[in-house]
Amino acid sequence: MFSPCAASLRANFLLPKARHLKCLTSSWRWQKTEASPLVKREIVDDPRPAKSAEVEARPFRDIPSPDVGLTSTIKYFKETEGFTKVYKLTNRLFTEHGPIFRDDILFGGEPAVHTIDPDDFEKVFRSEGRYPRRPPIDIWIEHRKRRNYFIGVFSADGEEWYRIRKSIAPKIMLPEIIEENIDNFNAVTKDTVARLVQLNKDCGPNDHIPDLEGELSKWSTESIGTVAFDTRLGLYDDPIPPEALQFINEVQNFFALSHKLIFSAAHRIAGPYIDTPLFKKFLKCGDTILDIGQGFVEKKMMELKEMAEKGTDSSDNSQVVSVLTYLLTKEDLTPEEVNGHVIDVVANGVDQTSITALWWLYNLARFPHVQEKIYQEIQSVVGIDGEVTPHNLAKLHYLKASLKESLRLNPTVGTLERILDQDVALSGYTVPANVSTTLNTPY
């Protein structure tokens, strides 16, 4: 979604300042950023049988498994800085046990398999069928149920997931949506660039943006808002509407608290009986997101109602149809499901888009020659004072390739999980049906 916005950001401001991003990386979610081919990954004592059509898969119990004793758990806790950097643990376990290992407690208490082999990824995807099943994030579902609220596409599963996703996919999954909203994206990007320029002037000799991640969150939220509501949320107004800024902060807190709860021993032990202080904080955060998001939805619905009463067509002066407007016309969705859809689109866009852009800029700072090549491409295709259009966006081949490469090096989501309805052979071992399988990308 952010390629046209990023092109303008890159051309007008970020290229000459990208060299200053290196000093900010200490505050980012750190991942290994130097990719290497999987075949060069150092693996100790790979126990897998040789790949051969004639080799019978070994039983599930033979899959290598880490020690889960108290001493090992304390060691893992320290190495991952309190389980805040879990990728360090998975890196260690893959190095010690090979490209596949079994875990019965470390990552959630249920038997699970972790693999890093692309061949296994293919087998899992080919075996999942039309309705993929994923292990539920129980705390997300629990929060929505307590609010008696639509659980959303990110927590739904099986046929219900397919029904929900099918209803919204035409509005968020097609390239034409970028073209449809490109004028809105350009308008948001101009405001973003103006703010970054002013922040740069104000920072004095430091010559860098103090909170680039926060600024990218504003940019992504405002951009996503134009898709969801075909209106601005006001993050570049003076003063900024407090609910818009709070929405960003609470979304970031929501994901941070989710991570803590998943690895919280206190929550695992006491959760079935009482709400721990951490879980109460999580519930309050989730409630705030729903309340603010509901306010955005209700404001837009009121505008549409007033236009209908006046006999005004919302598409008279624009070809843009917001996600909310589109979903309201879907007869197979309840009003509650429409509201939940839109809130989820905005909330997840805040985190995913801004983090992806942050890593992309970091990687551009690491490779100045790539920066320069992108800059020259933009100068040639868009021009110094030009705007990104559907026509010239299609010609920014190197820019889009660099974004894809950055996503390969630093994916926003490092794992995918599936629960299959049939047995499958992965890395020479039989993984039974209904066992969670995690596909890990190497860091």
Side-chain angles (χ1 to χ4, degrees), residues 63-227:
I63 299 178
S65 180
D67 180 12
V68 292
L70 179 60
T71 301
S72 297
T73 302
I74 293 174
K75 178 180 66 174
Y76 297 149
F77 182 85
K78 291 180 179 179
E79 287 183 356
T80 59
E81 301 177 28
F83 291 122
T84 60
K85 298 181 178 180
V86 183
Y87 70 91
K88 290 186 175 182
L89 176 55
T90 54
N91 280 353
R92 164 187 274 276
L93 296 178
F94 280 122
T95 299
E96 291 179 349
H97 300 290
I100 188 170
F101 67 86
R102 191 186 78 247
D103 137 56
D104 297 328
I105 189 171
L106 283 174
F107 294 94
E110 296 292 335
V113 170
H114 297 254
T115 177
I116 202 170
D117 190 335
D119 290 340
D120 289 344
F121 296 4
E122 180 182 0
K123 291 179 182 178
V124 169
F125 289 139
R126 289 185 180 279
S127 302
E128 65 180 359
R130 189 177 189 182
Y131 309 116
R133 293 172 57 203
R134 300 166 295 174
I137 301 179
D138 294 334
I139 54 175
W140 290 9
I141 296 175
E142 177 67 16
H143 169 250
R144 291 291 179 100
K145 284 183 176 179
R146 290 194 184 193
R147 280 288 299 260
N148 195 26
Y149 208 87
F150 172 58
I151 64 171
V153 68
F154 299 102
S155 296
D157 208 10
E159 292 188 45
E160 177 65 4
W161 168 86
Y162 182 80
R163 181 189 71 84
I164 298 170
R165 186 180 184 276
K166 185 179 179 180
S167 68
I168 197 172
K171 200 59 188 171
I172 63 173
M173 300 294 289
L174 299 177
E176 290 80 4
I177 304 306
I178 298 288
E179 301 175 3
E180 182 178 294
N181 288 273
I182 205 161
D183 289 339
N184 286 332
F185 293 156
N186 281 329
V188 172
T189 301
K190 285 182 179 179
D191 288 345
T192 305
V193 170
R195 175 168 172 77
L196 293 176
V197 169
Q198 185 59 50
L199 287 173
N200 184 65
K201 290 179 180 178
D202 294 342
C203 70
N206 291 328
D207 200 25
H208 68 262
I209 305 303
D211 181 20
L212 182 60
E213 184 172 359
E215 295 304 320
L216 290 175
S217 292
K218 291 180 183 178
W219 161 72
S220 62
T221 305
E222 192 78 3
S223 298
I224 295 286
T226 67
V227 177

Side-chain angles (χ1 to χ4, degrees), residues 2 29 31 213 255 348-360 363 403-416 441 443:
F2 43 80
R29 291 190 299 179
Q31 302 178 44
E213 184 172 359
F255 287 111
N348 282 273
V350 172
D351 183 71
Q352 303 297 312
T353 305
S354 61
I355 292 297
T356 299
L358 190 65
W359 277 107
W360 189 19
N363 285 318
L403 171 58
K404 292 178 181 179
E405 178 66 2
S406 180
L407 282 167
R408 184 186 72 83
L409 293 173
N410 309 107
T412 307
V413 178
T415 63
L416 290 174
T441 55
Y443 289 126

